């Protein structure tokens, strides 16, 4: 948009669109890392940040928080531990929350594209 000498409002709309698409991609990565419980999940928990579905699950109740935290603070996370974490995400409906967030973000991205279309036809 900037190279094509677009108007400021077009640049902003395209930038917002790109940010929304990037965010949806990041949500995908968060879920994918959680589902790869044999490799990525233990490494990510021990050396990086906790995947978003686990954070949502932990916030769902005090019981879930303690269950997840007791696994996350271990020095070694087993395959069985990873399966329990996945089960916690399923039972707390954390994936439903991720899906709602992705849908909301998708609508916001579409709104930016619609703005571009309106701008184009007004000029």
């Amino acid at each position: 948009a900037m190279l094509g000498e677009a108007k400021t409002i077009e640049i902003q709309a395209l930038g917002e669109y790109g940010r929304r698409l990037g965010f949806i991609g990041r949500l995908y990565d968060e879920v994918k890392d959680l589902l790869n419980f044999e490799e990525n999940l233990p490494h990510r928990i021990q050396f990086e940040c906790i995947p978003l579905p686990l954070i949502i699950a932990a916030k769902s109740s005090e019981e879930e928080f303690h269950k997840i935290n007791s696994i996350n603070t271990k020095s070694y996370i087993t395959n069985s531990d990873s399966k329990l974490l996945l089960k916690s995400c399923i039972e707390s409906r954390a994936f439903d929350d991720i899906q709602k967030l992705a849908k909301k973000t998708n609508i916001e991205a579409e709104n930016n594209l619609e703005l571009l279309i309106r701008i184009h036809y007004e000029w």
Side-chain angles (χ1 to χ4, degrees):
M2 293 169 69
L3 293 174
E5 299 180 5
K7 306 281 186 212
T8 301
I9 193 166
E10 293 172 305
I11 294 170
Q12 290 171 341
L14 282 171
E16 284 300 314
Y17 176 75
R19 280 188 279 287
R20 300 291 189 259
L21 285 183
F23 183 69
I24 291 170
R26 188 67 194 127
L27 290 175
Y28 169 79
D29 289 342
E30 292 290 308
V31 172
K32 185 177 77 170
D33 283 355
L34 184 77
L35 295 176
N36 189 353
F37 52 82
E38 291 180 1
E39 295 174 22
N40 286 9
L41 183 59
H43 182 272
R44 179 150 175 204
I45 289 171
Q46 291 176 321
F47 302 108
E48 299 174 36
C49 61
I50 296 171
L52 183 58
L54 276 178
I55 294 170
I56 293 171
K59 289 179 70 174
S60 69
S61 72
E62 196 169 320
E63 179 185 345
E64 286 300 319
F65 172 81
H66 291 297
K67 188 185 333 178
I68 292 168
N69 193 47
S70 68
I71 295 171
N72 288 345
T73 55
K74 287 183 171 184
S75 60
Y76 178 76
I77 297 174
T78 66
N79 198 10
S80 296
D81 291 332
S82 295
K83 288 178 182 179
L84 288 173
L85 293 172
L86 177 60
K87 183 179 178 190
S88 181
C89 288
I90 292 168
E91 290 175 352
S92 68
R93 305 186 63 88
F95 294 121
D96 293 343
D97 289 346
I98 296 287
Q99 183 180 27
K100 288 176 192 172
L101 184 56
K103 284 182 179 182
K104 177 181 179 271
T105 305
N106 184 59
I107 290 168
E108 292 168 351
E110 288 175 352
N111 289 342
N112 282 288
L113 287 181
E114 288 173 10
L115 174 64
L116 285 171
I117 292 168
R118 284 195 308 269
I119 291 169
H120 177 73
Y121 285 109
E122 286 176 7
W123 289 336

